[in-house]
Amino acid sequence: MDPIREVYTVLAPFASCNGVQMTVTPLQSDTFGSFDGGKIKCVLTNLIGNAIKFTPRGGEIGISVDADDLELKISISDTGEGIPEAYVTRIFNEFYHLKSAKGSLKKGSGLGLAVSKRIIDAHNGRIWVESSEDRGTTFSFAIPLTR
Ligand SMILES: Nc1ncnc2c1ncn2[C@@H]1O[C@H](COP(=O)(O)OP(=O)(O)OP(=O)(O)O)[C@@H](O)[C@H]1O
Ligand SMILES: [Mg+2]
């Protein structure tokens, strides 16, 4: 099964419980097997889980998938509270989290992004974030495909 759809199927009920609309573009089946699905599921679970955790009711999450001959790129965009620019460079550090705009610290160990970065590094890939405090956050990663 498409690992992206698999994670989506598991997490969609949590998004819906939180009043957040989530959409995904399908992955072409000829891409499966060109990457380590188990590890990628781990990264996706954290990134989509974060998007659900940090997006208030009425918000939206979009998962987009793009593959060419060389690499698979996945982006997870949310309309959540965003990450202030000053923190963006620290966000992939272990145990790091910031206080949400509402002043409440959302529960989490602060390890998800650090582990995700290690997994992507181990695949010779790249992971990055673009965020703005009023428009939300997009996390993206790209990994080379071995065909
Ligand atoms: N989509 C997002 N929108 C806003 N802030 C985010 C988002 N994703 C991550 N963050 C911020 O980055 C911090 C680190 O994220 P990370 O996934 O590493 O840890 P966590 O979710 O707090 O805990 P864990 O993933 O270990 O359960 C979060 O605590 C939060 O402050
Ligand atoms: Mg997390």
Side-chain angles (χ1 to χ4, degrees), residues 28 30-31 34 66-72 143-147:
Q28 277 174 343
D30 65 347
T31 318
S34 310
D66 205 13
D68 59 22
D69 283 348
L70 297 174
E71 64 175 18
L72 170 72
I143 47 169
L145 293 173
T146 49
R147 299 202 201 212

Side-chain angles (χ1 to χ4, degrees), residues 14-80:
F14 293 93
S16 134
C17 263
N18 284 300
V20 174
Q21 170 103 31
M22 189 156 78
T23 50
V24 64
T25 57
L27 176 65
Q28 277 174 343
S29 56
D30 65 347
T31 318
F32 308 166
S34 310
F35 56 88
D36 183 341
K39 299 272 170 41
I40 293 311
K41 276 197 280 185
C42 191
V43 175
L44 282 172
T45 302
N46 180 58
L47 295 182
I48 300 172
N50 283 352
I52 295 171
K53 204 154 55 163
F54 299 108
T55 303
R57 296 193 88 77
E60 285 169 30
I61 296 170
I63 305 154
S64 70
V65 182
D66 205 13
D68 59 22
D69 283 348
L70 297 174
E71 64 175 18
L72 170 72
K73 184 184 157 208
I74 302 181
S75 294
I76 295 101
S77 294
D78 66 56
T79 59

